Amino acid sequence: MTQHFRTASGGRIDRKKAINFTFNGQKYIGYEGDTLASALLANGVHLLGRSFKYHRPRGIVAAGAEEPNSMVQLGEGATTEPNIRATQISLYEGLTARSVNVWPTVEFDISAINGLFAKIMTAGFYNKTFMWPRAMWMKLYEPVIRRAAGWGKAPTTGDPDIYDHMHLHVEVMVVGGGPAGLMAALAAGRARARVLLVDEQGEFGGSLLSKKRQIGAKDEMAWIADMLAELEAMPDVTLLSRSTAFGYYDHNYLCVLEQKTDHLPAAERKGKVRQRVWHVRAGQVVLATGAHERPLVFADNDRPGIMLASSVQTYVNRYGVLPGKKMVLFTNNDAAYETAIDLQAAGGDIVAIVDSRAEPSGELVEAVRALDIEILAGYAITGTRGGKRVESVQVRAIQKGAKVYTSAARRIDCDLVAMSGGWSPVVHLFSQSQGQLEYDEEKACFLPGTKRQAQQVAGALAGEFTLKECLAGGYKAGADAARATGFTPKRKPAAPEIDEPALGGIEPFWVVPGARPIGEGMAKHFVDLQNDTTAADIELAVREGFESVEHIKRYTLTGFGTDQGKTSNINALAILSGILDKPIPKVGTTTFRPPYTPVSYGALAGRNLGDWSDPVRVTSIHDWHVENGALFENVGQWKRPWYFPKTGETMQDALNRECLAVRNGVGVLDASTLGKIDIRGPDAAEFLNRIYTNAWAKLGIRRVRYGLMCHEDGMVFDDGTTARLAEDRFLMTTTTGGAAGVLDWLEEYLQTEWPELRVYCTSVTEQWAAVSITGPTAGALLKKLAPEMDLSPESFPFLSFKEGVVAGIDARIFRISFTGELTYEINVPWACGLALWEAVMAAGAEFDITPYGTESMHILRAEKGFIIVGQETDGTTTPQDLGMDWIVSKKKPDFIGKRSYNRSDTARADRKQLVGLLTEAPDEVLPEGAQLVFDANAPKPMPMMGHVTSSYYSATLGRSIALALVKGGHEKKGQKIFAPLLDRTVTAEIVDPVFYDKEGERLNG
Amino acid sequence: MLNIDCPWCGKRHETEFRYGGEAHIARPEDPAALDDTEWAEFLFMRKNTKGYFAERWLHNNGCRRWFNVIRNTVTHEIVGSYKMGETPPKLPKSAGGAK
Ligand SMILES: [Zn+2]
């Protein structure tokens, strides 16, 4: 197929460079400089897809980001991308694309039968129809709807492309590289500010790329080239094309998606960054984002071949394509007349101009009259015909104010309808920046009003619709932005003579009635083409009681598509205003949210993938664990050995073996991840006294104490042991996951509440590796490693520490215990961790030393009834709830949390309290998190009396054990409690939480 | 993303900071002297200010200092920041747009 719809000459395409591409399996040829949309139009292809709900044939409507219809599935395999607008895909050699939302083909689509049921598929259809019965959702409705209503398909394999992020600080950021944006960048650049100019298109120039204009002595292309040459020569000006500012956040923080290789053939993309997200902080932002043309809402305004007038002009002038050869123009303003002039000049035929205004006048209207083109003034299109392409329109004389037109209908044959309902400034980024919009009656559009951020607006966004205004407004905005950031702008250049037609007025015309009232009969007046929302849907929504624009949006789906309603929002609003009989500004607008156009997850993730998605912290002994088959558990960012299975062992086998080794011999644990904070200063003891619930002032040097930390509300938030290294120095340990939070907490109180205390905190977690040996033979093992050290209980009692040499390494040895067995926690400099571990393993061989992980650690401590913060506590648990009154000082006048223990709520008797549970069947291990009830036969919903916090099989005890928080549990020991599970109810007895060695006799070996 | 002026480090992205809630709520000197209502007032009750609001921030991924900020909760305008113990800057009369 050859390009029958190319113009004879012109356009910014390179006719010498043919490009082969494939659409829906058919091969075509386009030219370099084409978009997929322009190349398809050049080949006469208008039918690109099917609509969302009714599966009506749809074609290309626009030429840029506002395109609502022509979404395609681009590429194949891992790099395929769904729902990309054909109007924004630069054509490249070998491009393949398919229609979305068609099945089996775009030409013959089975779901188009939906169109026959269109009467029932109105606003809220999905909400109303598929409410009940619930089971039908899973089996029938959802799969069917998903296939019928889905757009493109997400790739099923990982994204192989490379993405990255860059950060940039500039004084002036300019968004939009049209005439206003170029002038703004020039003004700020000449003032020597650091400037960033971004534009979503492959070429700078914006609307000038689509229009012929003489600017002074230059034509538009020479003018753009000269502007770019000057900007490129400025060292502090950065120009980014193919770069969309998609999000405008607080304090002038903007995100820009730069598409670096999407326009290249696959072979040229290899090894390059595909897309880059720029994070920009700007002193001032100049928004010059232009305007989008609005469609007109008339009966069956959705057929392929019905396009925006300015887009037709773009295809003709920029791409050298005739979107049709027999055009009807339907407009309510005279800017659109230029399209007729340009299409005719390029060889097209203008059948008629249908102008809703009774007396159109002005320079462009006269120019068209001079071309002998028929102008039907005071007329409207009231219907269209055509299957996969528009074939004719029906026009009638407008009867002002009437809901039904009875005037005579006339049929006009055509293959292209260009429509223009006026212009909507692209206020998206301005709105994202929290700026307020104001409705301009004369220009019939919303314009930026009160701004919230340090910014300027210019060009069509500011309602400056002529080139002359754009150039002047752009320069002023750039100069103002430079001045506001401390630069002195150069004198404004003299305004060039510009050859452009004078513009007449616009008469808003929001919805066109026909021979029958809107919503009656088969005709559809589409407002949102992507979501198939019609004017009748909006009327229905109002009849059903919706009035707020935000509710109407959600009920009718207007503006909810991937195009975010760029062509539909204002029409929907205006139609709503008409139905409610409220002025447009009173109806209000919906919220514009980022992203302006869709952004792929790959780009957002950048390089933060896989191993780089989050920092991984490992101990100095980690490699040994890996080599010895440990399975790992994530604790915060740390990798901790979970357990060390031997060949053929199940997880439970391994846990049983590890736990029994600790109880009967000696086990070894890598405890390096515990948080460690060095606390120094003359007031350190006083500080600990206020932070912990127990007393610290009198703790002897070289002594260790266990402490609980609570928030002011009395709830436990961390625990650990703290050793007194010297009169003015302590070493605090925290939970592995809580270390950063505890340090924050300490520093917060030192800085904000008690700045008079002379205390300094330093995290030393990664300065000390810790190897914990535990079990009845731990003493004998340590004796081998530190023969000089006096390990007698008199010299080295429980809860004390010594400094000495262990396996040739200077060490601190702490006598603490989380297993209930004799335990030495040997701390050595981080870099010596592995050497110590290996020495311990070698010396321990004769004791059959067994490395164990966090899971066995959890079982061993549960056997002893020791809590784990975050498992037995959940932020609503007091020390008293845990049965730990013994650690709450009665003597200290004040400490954090103390006052709250007397609050009526914390003093309640029926608070959830920590208890042990023994299941009736000893092998039954309760699921952690299981809810507990006192009456297994109570009617549902049963009163929940608590939940299981920890639950294990204990090899030591030869049965299961569990810890639980139970309402009033401390007083309920001996009572039965039930865990109703999905398939059975488990019975258990409430017992003391200490299951093993209640007297603590094993602590000394 | 807010651009927050740390009194020690200067302006930095919000991601370097941690929010600390309403400022100038001192821990009572003698909590035991407060009745339950007064204690609950200190523990739980915070202003839900629409407009200029004094709040605490921690430069946790920076100098690790706590400081105060006056921020307009409607516009996110930051009037100024000041160290703990310093007097707050004068509040603007009304919440205006950016200059
Ligand atoms: Zn700082």
Side-chain angles (χ1 to χ4, degrees):
Chain A
M1 200 185 271
T2 49
Q3 303 177 45
H4 284 305
F5 293 86
R6 275 294 171 200
T7 56
S9 62
R12 296 186 60 72
I13 45 164
D14 187 344
R15 292 169 195 253
K16 289 192 202 77
K17 291 191 181 148
I19 291 181
N20 299 287
F21 69 102
T22 309
F23 182 68
N24 282 339
Q26 174 91 38
K27 288 188 177 355
Y28 298 98
I29 294 173
Y31 291 131
E32 185 158 301
D34 264 326
T35 62
L36 175 60
S38 69
L40 285 170
L41 290 175
N43 285 284
V45 180
H46 274 258
L47 176 63
L48 257 67
R50 294 272 173 170
S51 74
F52 178 58
K53 211 156 76 173
Y54 304 121
H55 285 248
R56 286 167 69 114
R58 288 288 167 81
I60 297 160
V61 173
E66 74 275 33
E67 170 64 36
N69 270 350
S70 62
M71 296 186 298
V72 299
Q73 183 89 25
L74 181 63
E76 279 162 356
T79 54
T80 189
E81 266 201 282
N83 311 331
I84 312 293
R85 292 159 300 283
T87 53
Q88 290 196 295
I89 299 169
S90 295
L91 199 68
Y92 53 83
E93 182 64 33
L95 180 153
T96 62
R98 308 198 149 268
S99 299
V100 298
N101 200 27
V102 294
W103 184 67
T105 71
V106 67
E107 298 286 336
F108 175 76
D109 182 282
I110 284 178
S111 300
I113 204 163
N114 284 358
L116 302 179
F117 296 115
K119 277 282 139 210
I120 61 165
M121 292 187 75
T122 51
F125 167 71
Y126 292 118
N127 313 36
K128 290 170 191 161
T129 312
F130 296 129
M131 292 274 284
W132 203 257
R134 197 187 298 170
M136 293 292 274
W137 255 114
M138 311 277 285
K139 289 185 193 132
L140 179 65
Y141 301 146
E142 206 186 334
V144 169
I145 290 173
R146 282 208 186 282
R147 187 164 73 193
W151 281 313
K153 301 264 187 296
T156 51
T157 53
D159 186 340
D161 286 323
I162 307 167
Y163 302 86
D164 70 15
H165 286 206
M166 289 277 270
H167 291 260
L168 190 65
H169 291 256
V170 292
E171 279 86 30
V172 179
M173 175 174 177
V174 181
V175 183
L182 285 170
M183 283 302 272
L186 188 81
R190 281 182 180 171
R192 298 187 175 271
R194 289 178 298 174
V195 177
L196 171 67
L197 171 64
V198 301
D199 191 272
E200 65 182 357
Q201 303 209 46
E203 282 186 275
F204 288 98
S207 60
L208 276 181
L209 300 169
S210 304
K211 287 179 181 157
K212 298 188 195 316
R213 292 286 182 271
Q214 193 70 22
I215 305 167
K218 305 164 195 166
D219 68 11
E220 71 283 343
M221 290 309 159
W223 184 84
I224 294 170
D226 286 358
M227 291 290 286
L228 289 175
E230 182 172 351
L231 287 168
E232 276 161 4
M234 294 178 181
D236 288 332
V237 173
T238 307
L239 304 177
L240 293 177
S241 61
R242 302 187 194 282
S243 298
T244 305
F246 64 82
Y248 192 146
Y249 307 95
D250 295 319
H251 294 182
N252 273 354
Y253 190 89
L254 289 89
C255 285
V256 177
L257 179 73
E258 181 186 11
Q259 293 180 276
K260 294 175 77 70
T261 64
D262 289 318
H263 60 293
L264 300 175
E268 289 173 43
R269 298 184 186 186
K270 269 213 154 64
K272 292 179 186 161
V273 170
R274 180 186 170 216
Q275 296 178 347
R276 171 173 290 164
V277 175
W278 291 80
H279 300 253
V280 185
R281 181 78 77 179
Q284 283 267 321
V285 172
V286 177
L287 292 176
T289 47
H292 289 148
E293 199 170 19
R294 286 192 295 261
L296 284 162
V297 180
F298 54 92
D300 298 328
N301 55 343
D302 66 326
R303 298 193 198 282
I306 302 180
M307 302 173 67
L308 292 168
S310 63
S311 301
V312 171
Q313 188 184 21
T314 295
Y315 286 114
V316 171
N317 291 336
R318 181 169 174 189
Y319 298 107
V321 171
L322 291 177
K325 293 184 176 171
K326 284 189 299 180
M327 181 178 90
V328 171
L329 173 70
F330 182 20
T331 182
N332 65 353
N333 63 80
D334 51 64
Y337 279 59
E338 205 176 345
T339 297
I341 297 169
D342 288 356
L343 186 89
Q344 175 137 327
D349 184 17
I350 314 304
V351 192
I353 291 181
V354 181
D355 194 323
S356 64
R357 299 171 299 173
E359 289 167 4
S361 64
E363 195 180 328
L364 280 165
V365 178
E366 296 318 316
V368 163
R369 287 211 172 99
L371 293 172
D372 232 6
I373 294 169
E374 183 181 15
I375 297 175
L376 293 163
Y379 271 72
I381 295 181
T382 54
T384 69
R385 282 198 184 178
K388 287 157 192 167
R389 178 81 185 265
V390 65
E391 286 162 8
S392 69
V393 296
Q394 180 195 61
V395 300
R396 290 172 192 267
I398 290 171
Q399 292 159 284
K400 248 198 151 113
K403 296 239 179 224
V404 173
Y405 290 171
T406 52
S407 49
R410 174 179 152 193
R411 185 177 141 168
I412 303 175
D413 290 342
C414 61
D415 64 356
L416 174 66
V417 176
M419 59 183 164
S420 177
W423 291 84
S424 296
V426 180
V427 296
H428 300 63
L429 289 178
F430 177 79
S431 286
Q432 286 180 24
S433 78
Q434 304 298 313
Q436 305 294 307
L437 301 177
E438 281 169 12
Y439 191 72
D440 186 311
E441 290 285 350
E442 194 191 331
K443 291 176 173 161
C445 63
F446 279 97
L447 292 175
T450 309
K451 63 190 173 187
R452 276 272 166 78
Q453 303 208 27
Q455 78 195 174
Q456 318 291 331
V457 293
L461 167 65
E464 297 163 353
F465 289 134
T466 66
L467 179 56
K468 193 174 174 186
E469 290 172 303
C470 282
L471 297 184
Y475 193 90
K476 180 176 187 312
D480 287 350
R483 197 175 294 112
T485 50
F487 294 83
T488 310
K490 296 273 182 293
R491 183 198 288 271
K492 192 176 146 204
E497 193 70 28
I498 295 168
D499 176 23
E500 67 178 325
L503 288 187
I506 170 172
E507 286 178 19
F509 193 27
W510 300 113
V511 60
V512 184
R516 300 179 68 173
I518 288 165
E520 283 185 15
M522 294 301 284
K524 295 205 167 302
H525 299 65
F526 285 99
V527 178
D528 184 321
L529 289 167
Q530 193 168 108
N531 281 305
D532 268 357
T533 308
T534 64
D537 288 331
I538 297 175
E539 285 191 354
L540 178 66
V542 173
R543 277 206 304 280
E544 293 187 357
F546 294 91
E547 283 190 19
S548 146
V549 61
E550 293 283 6
H551 292 158
I552 299 257
K553 171 176 171 172
R554 278 152 188 80
Y555 197 57
T556 64
L557 295 183
T558 312
F560 255 109
T562 61
D563 63 341
Q564 298 223 335
K566 292 186 177 68
T567 52
S568 63
N569 282 338
I570 304 303
N571 280 341
L573 204 66
I575 290 169
L576 181 61
S577 130
I579 298 167
L580 296 174
D581 201 18
K582 265 197 220 173
I584 289 176
K586 283 264 178 334
V587 175
T589 55
T590 53
T591 311
F592 295 89
R593 292 190 176 86
Y596 171 69
T597 44
V599 181
S600 69
Y601 281 111
L604 295 176
R607 306 269 170 151
N608 301 319
L609 294 173
D611 287 347
W612 294 284
S613 61
D614 196 39
V616 173
R617 302 174 80 184
V618 297
T619 72
S620 54
I621 311 165
H622 183 75
D623 290 349
W624 190 96
H625 304 322
V626 173
E627 281 161 27
N628 286 273
L631 296 181
F632 290 90
E633 176 181 31
N634 293 330
V635 184
Q637 290 167 329
W638 287 102
K639 293 274 175 211
R640 296 199 71 181
W642 190 21
Y643 60 101
F644 291 83
K646 289 189 169 173
T647 314
E649 274 186 341
T650 65
M651 178 174 179
Q652 191 61 53
D653 292 342
L655 299 178
N656 292 349
R657 175 178 50 75
E658 290 176 9
C659 289
L660 290 173
V662 170
R663 294 287 178 226
N664 300 322
V666 62
V668 57
L669 175 83
D670 181 355
S672 306
T673 62
L674 281 188
K676 305 172 203 79
I677 302 170
D678 189 303
I679 299 171
R680 290 177 95 156
D683 299 316
E686 167 62 18
F687 179 54
L688 292 183
N689 243 1
R690 298 185 190 184
I691 288 283
Y692 277 129
T693 60
N694 49 349
W696 290 80
K698 293 195 181 119
L699 182 69
I701 293 169
R702 292 177 188 280
R703 289 290 169 158
V704 183
R705 192 163 280 173
Y706 173 77
L708 270 189
M709 249 179 243
C710 293
H711 284 144
E712 293 283 11
D713 60 5
M715 304 304 157
V716 173
F717 94 98
D718 207 78
D719 69 342
T721 58
T722 291
R724 190 165 206 166
L725 304 180
E727 185 61 33
D728 62 349
R729 188 173 179 194
F730 293 81
L731 181 69
M732 174 186 282
T733 66
T734 72
T735 58
T736 296
V742 171
L743 182 62
D744 276 7
W745 180 248
L746 302 181
E747 290 185 334
E748 177 175 347
Y749 272 81
L750 287 172
Q751 289 182 37
T752 67
E753 297 295 348
W754 306 316
E756 71 283 3
L757 292 184
R758 289 159 302 165
V759 180
Y760 303 90
C761 301
T762 309
S763 168
V764 292
T765 302
E766 293 183 5
Q767 272 60 45
W768 292 96
V771 174
S772 179
I773 54 175
T774 181
T777 54
L781 171 58
L782 184 57
K783 191 79 215 165
K784 261 184 86 179
L785 291 161
E788 309 289 303
M789 203 174 286
D790 182 355
L791 300 182
S792 66
E794 301 73 41
S795 163
F796 197 177
F798 182 55
L799 292 179
S800 69
F801 80 91
K802 273 179 182 280
E803 286 171 329
V805 176
V806 178
I809 305 164
D810 286 332
R812 283 184 191 144
I813 307 102
F814 296 83
R815 260 206 73 191
I816 50 181
S817 180
F818 199 37
T819 62
E821 304 292 333
L822 172 65
T823 304
Y824 297 99
E825 192 190 291
I826 309 162
N827 285 227
V828 295
W830 189 263
C832 301
L834 182 58
L836 174 67
W837 180 275
E838 286 178 336
V840 166
M841 290 307 295
E846 67 173 280
F847 305 98
D848 198 16
I849 190 167
T850 301
Y852 68 99
T854 50
E855 192 63 23
S856 292
M857 177 184 85
H858 285 188
I859 298 171
L860 294 161
R861 64 86 206 181
E863 289 169 352
K864 288 292 298 173
F866 295 147
I867 62 152
I868 287 185
V869 170
Q871 190 152 342
E872 272 64 57
T873 72
D874 62 2
T876 67
T877 318
T878 65
Q880 296 82 357
D881 296 339
L882 297 167
M884 295 172 78
D885 313 58
W886 54 271
I887 203 169
V888 180
S889 167
K890 308 283 179 294
K891 291 188 192 137
K892 285 197 290 182
D894 188 22
F895 56 86
I896 296 173
K898 181 180 170 82
R899 174 62 185 82
S900 288
Y901 303 140
N902 300 325
R903 292 183 57 241
S904 56
D905 187 59
T906 36
R908 270 188 298 124
D910 66 340
R911 291 182 61 80
K912 283 187 176 181
Q913 295 165 336
L914 184 71
V915 295
L917 297 183
L918 287 175
T919 51
E920 211 160 55
D923 286 339
E924 175 89 52
V925 181
L926 282 162
E928 287 177 355
Q931 292 292 320
L932 299 168
V933 300
F934 287 134
D935 178 0
N937 299 313
K940 290 173 190 169
M942 295 183 181
M944 305 290 191
M945 301 313 288
H947 64 276
V948 176
T949 58
S950 294
S951 178
Y952 312 96
Y953 180 79
S954 160
T956 309
L957 299 165
R959 60 154 301 134
S960 70
I961 55 168
L963 297 172
L965 288 168
V966 172
K967 285 188 181 174
H970 291 161
E971 300 302 316
K972 295 201 160 60
K973 284 178 191 153
Q975 289 190 23
K976 289 256 181 300
I977 197 160
F978 306 92
L981 305 177
L982 203 58
D983 53 348
R984 65 194 192 281
T985 294
V986 178
T987 309
E989 185 189 336
I990 299 175
V991 298
D992 188 85
V994 184
F995 297 96
Y996 184 66
D997 185 30
K998 283 190 203 298
E999 297 72 31
E1001 286 166 350
R1002 304 183 60 88
L1003 269 176
N1004 293 313
Chain B
M1 188 186 317
L2 302 182
N3 205 14
I4 297 170
D5 198 358
C6 170
W8 281 272
C9 307
K11 285 187 174 176
R12 297 288 188 278
H13 289 340
E14 185 182 347
T15 43
E16 291 188 16
F17 298 86
R18 204 192 92 190
Y19 187 60
E22 187 177 348
H24 306 303
I25 297 178
R27 186 173 191 272
E29 281 290 318
D30 182 8
L34 304 185
D35 65 24
D36 274 8
T37 310
E38 290 164 330
W39 181 246
E41 181 73 26
F42 160 72
L43 264 190
F44 304 120
M45 303 312 283
R46 296 293 181 270
K47 290 197 193 86
N48 186 16
T49 302
K50 184 178 179 184
Y52 291 106
F53 184 59
E55 61 195 17
R56 308 185 314 158
W57 286 85
L58 166 66
H59 196 184
N60 63 327
N61 292 318
C63 65
R64 296 196 58 82
R65 296 283 200 144
W66 283 92
F67 59 96
N68 297 315
V69 168
I70 305 284
R71 180 179 62 99
N72 187 313
T73 58
V74 179
T75 63
H76 289 316
E77 176 200 1
I78 288 179
V79 176
S81 52
Y82 51 103
K83 296 173 184 174
M84 287 291 157
E86 286 183 350
T87 330
K90 259 214 147 110
L91 291 188
K93 279 229 169 65
S94 64
K99 280 175 252 59

